[in-house]
DNA sequence: TAGACAACTACACGACTGTGTAGTCAAGCC
DNA sequence: GGCTTGACTACACAGTCGTGTAGTTGTCTA
């Protein structure tokens, strides 16, 4: 939250931080203003209302994430993206977006539905075996969001910050381990499908 | 919320319902009292404070879930439990517990850590391939909780209530599909592990 | 130099929060 | 009968919330 940002940008960054940590209702405009080092009146002057501030944060986070994605693809090409390299910037944005989705914000929910749609298409064209691509994609999507929304619990279980290099590596490897081996045998799967 | 329950039980059930839907901070004691059909003073008379009410709900939900699990194992044996049969009763309790975990309640967080511990042991004894059982179990646990905490989003994507028979079946089958086939090839997994 | 206008602050408002207090009412016991 | 006790309600209190309003400052420009 450096001083060379405009007050408007500092307010927006503070809002993204506190909304992420406490949820929309849990972060008051007075807290956000204090975090940004301005009066609550100035927040109101720049954004009009708490709801408008939240919308501005949503759109900023969404556009910034898209821009980051494009930059990365342009720079290094799609096939050899290093997850670790984008993490420091994209992580707070993803965390905010996950929380905003949970709180039902319009822009965030639209992005979620779009992601589910994309995931379903991906599954179709990549040989995923299911007869309900939408459900498959939706469940994957909420499970992924769970990691962001329940970050505190995850860190408690791991004993370290998942934004730290080692914590992030442990989480990433766990994902790889989970999604590279089947947890159910074909027989177990068939049995469960009968219920 | 039937009338033949004691007022204390009605308040507790109403609290579990509203805490689940709106989170701890989002549900006021006046709303809970109204949902239970009593005055807010009576809520206070029975539970002393909002915090104590939340603790009572935590312990009730935990004990009830344990009891349900025991009953089920005693009745039908471990190997042929039908998921659908316990769903109507256990679902609200799990939803409440997930939300309470997210809100950082002590009893709920303790249960979460216990679950992660149990999951790690399960992975060890069931041939899961990973060199960080705790991380593996923790990530699985938060992903599973994500489904409860982000239930609204999931239902929006599916277009139906996941407590409905068809919605619940779609979700369960998606889980089966996801966890019965690897999403990453061994080569992809090895590449990601190098990051 | 005067005026316009954006950036910014201070303060008061009504609504809602959890909590505290006083009191009513009916059932059980001496 | 009187008396205690637990279930229950009504209401007031202080604090915090989002919002509204009035006013100050500084900078650009006609």
């Amino acid at each position: 939250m450096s001083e060379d940002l405009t007050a408007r940008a500092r307010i927006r960054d503070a809002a993204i931080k506190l909304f992420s940590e406490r949820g929309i209702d849990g972060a008051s405009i007075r807290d956000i203003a204090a975090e940004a080092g301005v009066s609550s009146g100035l927040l109101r002057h720049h954004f009009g209302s708490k709801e408008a501030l939240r919308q501005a944060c949503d759109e900023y986070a969404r556009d910034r994430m898209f821009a980051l994605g494009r930059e990365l693809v342009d720079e290094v090409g799609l096939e050899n993206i290093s997850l670790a390299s984008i993490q420091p910037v994209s992580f707070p944005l993803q965390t905010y977006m996950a929380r905003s989705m949970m709180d039902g914000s319009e822009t965030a929910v639209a992005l979620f539905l779009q992601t589910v749609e994309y995931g379903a298409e991906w599954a179709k064209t990549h040989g995923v075996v299911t007869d309900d691509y939408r459900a498959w994609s939706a469940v994957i999507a909420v499970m992924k969001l769970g990691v962001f929304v329940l970050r505190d619990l995850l860190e408690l279980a791991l004993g370290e910050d998942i934004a730290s290099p080692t914590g992030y590596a442990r989480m990433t490897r766990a994902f790889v381990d989970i999604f590279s081996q089947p947890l159910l045998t074909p027989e177990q799967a068939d049995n469960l499908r009968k219920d």
Side-chain angles (χ1 to χ4, degrees), chain A:
Chain A
M1 227 63 68
S2 66
E3 273 299 325
D4 56 351
L5 288 175
T6 64
R8 197 174 197 282
R10 288 209 315 279
I11 293 171
R12 184 237 301 136
D13 289 348
I16 289 181
K17 176 168 180 249
L18 295 193
F19 282 155
S20 298
E21 290 173 3
R22 311 178 192 174
I24 309 289
D25 288 341
S28 72
I29 61 168
R30 284 172 177 82
D31 289 344
I32 295 169
E35 175 82 19
V38 299
S39 72
S40 67
L42 184 60
L43 187 152
R44 190 166 166 67
H45 170 71
H46 278 302
F47 293 95
S49 73
K50 188 180 185 180
E51 172 63 18
L53 170 62
R54 212 216 52 213
Q55 277 183 33
C57 289
D58 278 359
E59 285 159 21
Y60 171 80
R62 181 197 56 192
D63 296 345
R64 193 87 188 82
M65 283 169 67
F66 283 163
L68 274 175
R70 274 195 305 272
E71 281 173 30
L72 208 72
V73 171
D74 290 347
E75 270 179 32
V76 300
L78 240 177
E79 62 282 348
N80 48 6
I81 286 176
S82 164
L83 289 177
S85 68
I86 47 170
Q87 183 254 346
V89 192
S90 71
F91 213 78
L93 296 175
Q94 287 183 272
T95 306
Y96 169 79
M97 212 29 118
R99 184 74 203 215
S100 191
M101 285 172 178
M102 204 194 80
D103 290 344
S105 133
E106 204 173 328
T107 306
V109 169
L111 183 59
F112 169 78
L113 292 175
Q114 193 177 323
T115 307
V116 170
E117 200 64 38
Y118 175 80
E121 286 306 314
W122 184 92
K124 271 182 208 169
T125 55
H126 284 73
V128 170
V129 180
T130 180
D131 45 33
D132 191 343
Y133 291 105
R134 172 167 287 274
W136 184 93
S137 177
V139 170
I140 291 264
V142 294
M143 289 198 308
K144 182 185 165 186
L145 286 180
V147 175
F148 290 100
V149 167
L150 298 161
R151 173 179 174 169
D152 292 348
L153 281 181
L154 183 55
E155 293 181 339
L156 212 57
L158 292 181
E160 61 182 329
D161 192 342
I162 59 172
S164 74
T166 63
Y168 188 72
R170 289 178 71 194
M171 185 184 71
T172 306
R173 288 193 178 217
F175 269 115
V176 172
D177 291 338
I178 290 166
F179 288 113
S180 62
Q181 55 187 316
L183 284 175
L184 299 169
T185 65
E187 301 82 44
Q188 288 174 324
D190 284 341
N191 273 338
L192 283 169
R193 272 190 259 264
K194 283 179 194 151
D195 277 346

